[in-house]
Amino acid sequence: MTADTRPHRLNRDDVLRAALDLLNEIGIDALSTRRLAERLGVQSPTLYWHFRNKAALLDAMSEAIVLAHHAHATPAPGERWQDWLMTDGRSFRRALLGYRDGARLHAGTRPGESQRAAIEARLGLLCAAGLAPGPATLLLMSVGRFVVGWVLEEQSLQQPDARPSATVPGPDAALYPLLAAGWAATVGGDADTVFEQALRLLVDGAQAPLNPWEPRPGAAAASRQTG
């Protein structure tokens, strides 16, 4: 057998690419190692040379999405932390939306060794702005979980079996004027614009002191008055 006709030896990247393609086709609930092995033309035990079980495969798929498609995970030199957080949130959302059930795939994961240098750089930016490591980490977690939850809602509404409440009409403005106005600006608004506004609220709020042991201005006086 010549080099040109020798069968291609399956590697880890081959498995990941096929798994992500299959995810887009059938969704995370139907994804199984058996179906993936069929797609690759191998027996299921072959996959265990690369991933010890399905959970390890799902973790690797999530990490692959972040590493390949989350383009702004690391701040640029001299970038303002507020600007970077906004860019990071947008980039992360696009990465998750790029795959069917992307948010469900990512939910519950923790960053692996290949992501830790980037996280250290993010924390360096926030700590240079005056945040301690604890609040800086909490801020990164808050933005990350906000984005995952937001995309989870977006992708749930896109499912063919979405719940009936996902398509209920807006409230009657005569009965609920404030709710109707808010509904029109959010539920009925442009998805990208609404996400941008919500993320901005989170980032703007992060400019306040984040140390939970540091009393807010006026808190001591208020405590004395009610004590």
Side-chain angles (χ1 to χ4, degrees):
M1 181 178 291
T2 67
D4 291 336
T5 60
R6 186 180 301 127
H8 173 68
R9 184 172 181 175
L10 197 67
N11 60 42
R12 190 176 187 274
D13 289 340
D14 293 329
V15 177
L16 278 176
R17 279 193 296 269
L20 290 171
D21 288 343
L22 194 58
L23 174 70
N24 274 338
E25 291 178 19
I26 64 177
I28 197 168
D29 290 327
L31 182 66
S32 67
T33 54
R34 179 186 61 79
R35 295 190 69 166
L36 178 57
E38 290 175 355
R39 165 64 64 92
L40 290 164
V42 299
Q43 299 296 315
S44 293
T46 304
L47 302 180
Y48 300 136
W49 285 100
H50 306 285
F51 304 99
R52 65 182 180 274
N53 51 39
K54 181 181 176 181
L57 172 64
L58 294 176
D59 273 351
M61 291 168 63
S62 173
E63 184 176 64
I65 290 175
V66 171
L67 292 176
H69 302 285
H70 187 12
H72 299 283
T74 304
E79 188 172 14
R80 293 175 67 247
W81 67 267
Q82 298 94 330
D83 295 337
W84 172 76
L85 272 180
M86 291 296 298
T87 303
D88 175 67
R90 296 185 202 106
S91 174
F92 188 27
R93 174 175 174 255
R94 284 194 299 270
L96 296 181
L97 285 173
Y99 287 86
R100 182 175 175 178
D101 295 328
R104 287 183 61 192
L105 176 67
H106 188 82
T109 62
R110 295 291 181 270
E113 184 64 33
S114 62
Q115 297 171 273
R116 290 181 178 176
I119 295 173
E120 186 73 10
R122 301 175 205 176
L123 290 173
L125 177 67
L126 296 175
C127 291
L131 299 178
T137 302
L138 180 60
L139 178 54
L140 292 183
M141 290 175 59
S142 298
V143 171
R145 292 183 178 185
F146 166 77
V147 174
V148 171
W150 189 278
V151 176
L152 182 63
E153 290 286 341
E154 289 185 289
Q155 293 184 322
S156 295
L157 296 175
Q158 297 166 1
Q159 297 295 332
D161 59 348
R163 297 180 181 180
S165 60
T167 57
V168 297
D172 187 335
L175 296 175
Y176 313 105
L178 298 179
L179 178 57
W183 185 286
T186 54
V187 179
D190 174 73
D192 293 338
T193 301
V194 174
F195 172 80
E196 183 85 8
Q197 293 169 341
L199 181 60
R200 174 60 66 186
L201 285 175
L202 179 59
V203 173
D204 286 349
Q207 296 184 65
L210 292 178
N211 190 332
W213 297 279
E214 181 178 316
R216 297 187 305 275
S223 177
R224 287 194 296 269
Q225 292 174 359
T226 58

